[in-house]
Amino acid sequence: MTGTDDRDPRITALLERHTPEQPGGPDWTRVTGRRHPRRFIGPVMAAAGAAVAVIAVIVAIVAAPGGGGGDRGAAPLTYQHQADGGVALRLRVTPRTGESAADAARSTATVFDARAKADGYTLLTDPHADGTLDRWVPVARSARELTELLQPADAAVYDSGAGRVAEGPDLLKVLSAGEALAPRREGATLYLVDREGNPIQGPAPDIASLRAMLGGTGRIPKEFTVRYVPAGYTLIAGVRWKRFSVQRNTPLVSGADIASVARIRGSATGIALTLTPDGRDRWAAARRTGAPVSLVLFQEVGPPTVYATVDAARSTAARLVATTPDAVSAEFVARFVAGGTLPGRPEVLAEQPTGSVRSTTGDAAAGIPPMVEGYLRDGVFGGSRTLVRDSLRRMVALTNGDGEWSIWLARDSEGDVVEMVIDPRLGGGSQSGGGGGPCPVTPAHPLVRICGAGPGHVYGRVAERVVRISGADRTAVGNGWFLAVDDGAAMNAPPPKTITGYDASGAPVATASGVN
């Protein structure tokens, strides 16, 4: 995405407010919303201490190589000898019910190709009959850098008046009505809800999965309640989660029936769904109640959510016309369902970087800020990990009237990279980590990528080709990082809006807006 939160903003706020304490220190991936194998949550910032606003975060491994398996588990990767910089992958795809393994691999390849095209790059693809899929993705060097490409997103079209059990703004009352239909048995969908009726985690098939989503394995905190939707029914959240409903899980059109989604030219909020031949037959034969017909998206976190209203009068069996509540929603749906739906995250069986090896450079530790010294002394993540002093490097720095701004990297005792952004007005900053390097340039943002922003400043990554940036009063580029700071910015000032990168000849080569 381009700096927009891909989920309803309530998810981020609720998770930040309700993240429970875990043994061994806090799970900062939950607080900041960094990508996790079963989450898709936009980033937020949090303060750590009265005078120091610092979060050192580890990026969770989005997709770790599995143990091979299948007919091609031990075979060489198709694209492992690709000369250009990128990553060769082998993925395993789980077929839908009634779908062959070969068809699942081909349809997943179509989804990935469409997503890449929407972001302006091209993939190499080799689907196999056993349900595995070889891919080569440019720029990235590991699967963990491909969170958005691999993100599952299923969809279905529901008649809101068909089989509806309950509907209203009070989630607890709606869930109670659903629970009155049947006891919690196999096939039920579980959610974790707080005392105010806010959905905190789910959907999940069992209690163990809910615990895993919280980042722990012990008892669920008493502030939360496990609620469920019986088998054969689904919970649907309305636009921006203002209303909820429980209804029979009998969509007019399922995700397997959606061939593609595209934005309608000349319309900021209009999208069009192209259906498969089976989907056309189902839509033509469907009996509608006259109630609103909604496009509902299913993601890894949060209840299925209405993203658009289908205009049945303007739709045909081949093409459904729908309207989203805003342009951001239209962009999201059209991007992630451009080539059809992806009901589950593919398993990464193997991966291998190609092309030149990335190297981490930077200045050896000197003049270390007090905040960084504190982490070197006390450790990170509640002291559960220590920073390796010899690995500490300053990546880029600039000075204005507030003092020195800088970005520091260090490896921790688990081998992950911890990033520290120093805001001299507070003594600290934010945010990420991960063995492949925090917030790398990506196929979608290969030259300039904004990784974080705050009052009067933004920071991020640049490719080697980019030697200078503009977009703020003071800027600096070094070791693949950049800082952009406005002089004299108050703590409630907006961050710089757009960053432009320039090559050695002085020509602009890329722009970036918003955290991406």
Side-chain angles (χ1 to χ4, degrees):
M1 298 296 290
T2 56
T4 59
D5 190 344
D6 306 321
R7 285 232 38 91
D8 188 290
R10 291 179 61 179
I11 291 180
T12 297
L14 292 174
L15 286 174
E16 181 183 16
R17 192 167 76 235
H18 295 291
T19 298
E21 294 183 0
Q22 298 294 334
D27 179 358
W28 288 112
T29 63
R30 303 291 302 129
V31 178
T32 62
R34 284 292 180 178
R35 275 27 173 187
H36 183 281
R38 294 193 176 277
R39 297 165 180 81
F40 191 49
I41 307 169
V44 296
M45 307 287 281
V52 180
V54 179
I55 304 174
V57 181
I58 295 180
V59 173
I61 298 176
V62 171
D71 296 338
R72 301 186 59 82
L77 299 179
T78 301
Y79 302 110
Q80 66 182 28
H81 298 302
Q82 185 74 15
D84 295 328
V87 60
L89 303 169
R90 175 160 299 144
L91 309 174
R92 181 184 302 285
V93 180
T94 301
R96 297 177 187 268
T97 301
E99 183 181 37
S100 70
D103 286 343
R106 284 192 292 267
S107 63
T108 301
T110 299
V111 170
F112 288 158
D113 287 340
R115 290 181 179 181
K117 182 178 179 180
D119 279 336
Y121 64 96
T122 301
L123 306 172
L124 299 180
T125 307
D126 184 18
H128 310 298
D130 64 353
T132 60
L133 175 67
D134 275 47
R135 306 238 59 164
W136 179 79
V137 185
V139 181
R141 293 299 195 277
S142 68
R144 70 171 64 190
E145 300 173 32
L146 302 174
T147 56
E148 293 186 356
L149 178 66
L150 301 180
Q151 168 64 28
D154 206 353
V157 175
Y158 286 86
D159 183 330
S160 61
R164 184 166 62 191
V165 174
E167 191 270 343
D170 189 326
L171 175 60
L172 294 177
K173 290 183 179 179
V174 170
L175 286 172
S176 294
E179 290 169 346
L181 296 172
R184 192 174 86 197
R185 299 191 179 100
E186 184 177 356
T189 303
L190 277 56
Y191 290 91
L192 209 58
V193 181
D194 71 6
R195 291 170 177 172
E196 299 174 359
N198 298 306
I200 301 303
Q201 270 298 2
D206 50 46
I207 298 292
S209 298
L210 282 178
R211 289 174 179 150
M213 286 179 169
L214 283 176
T217 57
R219 298 179 63 180
I220 291 176
K222 62 182 180 180
E223 292 83 4
F224 303 148
T225 303
V226 176
R227 306 298 298 266
Y228 71 95
V229 179
Y233 293 84
T234 185
L235 172 67
I236 296 177
V239 174
R240 298 186 178 92
W241 293 12
K242 291 182 178 180
R243 300 184 73 84
F244 301 87
S245 66
V246 169
Q247 66 183 81
R248 287 191 179 276
N249 193 19
T250 53
L252 302 176
V253 172
S254 70
D257 298 324
I258 299 173
S260 64
V261 177
R263 301 187 72 170
I264 296 175
R265 289 185 180 180
S267 173
T269 59
I271 58 174
L273 287 69
T274 300
L275 302 183
T276 66
D278 287 345
R280 297 174 189 178
D281 292 341
R282 291 190 179 91
W283 176 260
R287 294 185 178 181
R288 296 186 286 275
T289 65
V293 175
S294 302
L295 173 66
V296 175
L297 260 61
F298 297 75
Q299 298 179 68
E300 288 180 304
V301 171
T305 300
V306 173
Y307 270 81
T309 300
V310 176
D311 187 338
R314 297 171 57 201
S315 299
T316 66
R319 182 175 183 264
L320 306 188
V321 177
T323 302
T324 62
D326 50 53
V328 171
S329 298
E331 176 189 4
F332 174 71
V333 175
R335 179 180 183 276
F336 275 92
V337 198
T341 60
L342 184 64
R345 184 182 293 276
E347 176 189 2
V348 179
L349 299 177
E351 61 180 286
Q352 181 173 313
T354 66
S356 60
V357 177
R358 284 179 177 167
S359 60
T360 300
T361 56
D363 303 327
I368 302 173
M371 183 277 295
V372 178
E373 283 285 8
Y375 277 114
L376 289 170
R377 180 185 65 249
D378 303 329
V380 293
F381 312 111
S384 62
R385 299 188 184 191
T386 58
L387 292 181
V388 179
R389 180 179 285 271
D390 290 346
S391 71
L392 183 66
R393 294 291 186 273
R394 188 180 71 173
M395 309 309 292
V396 65
L398 63 81
T399 301
N400 70 356
D402 297 315
E404 183 180 275
W405 298 71
S406 56
I407 297 177
W408 296 74
L409 298 185
R411 289 197 175 272
D412 67 16
S413 52
E414 297 294 325
D416 288 309
V417 178
V418 176
E419 163 199 329
M420 293 154 280
V421 181
I422 306 305
D423 178 342
R425 298 169 301 179
L426 297 173
S430 64
Q431 84 181 21
S432 69
C439 188
V441 290
T442 66
H445 306 283
L447 296 177
V448 178
R449 181 184 181 188
I450 296 177
C451 297
H457 72 280
V458 296
Y459 65 94
R461 302 299 302 269
V462 292
E464 291 183 8
R465 181 182 175 190
V466 176
V467 299
R468 180 176 67 86
I469 65 163
S470 66
D473 293 335
R474 296 179 189 269
T475 62
V477 171
N479 300 304
W481 291 83
F482 77 83
L483 274 168
V485 179
D486 285 333
D487 288 333
M491 293 308 296
N492 61 351
K497 186 176 181 179
T498 301
I499 298 298
T500 301
Y502 302 84
D503 64 14
S505 72
V509 294
T511 60
S513 299
V515 178
N516 47 40

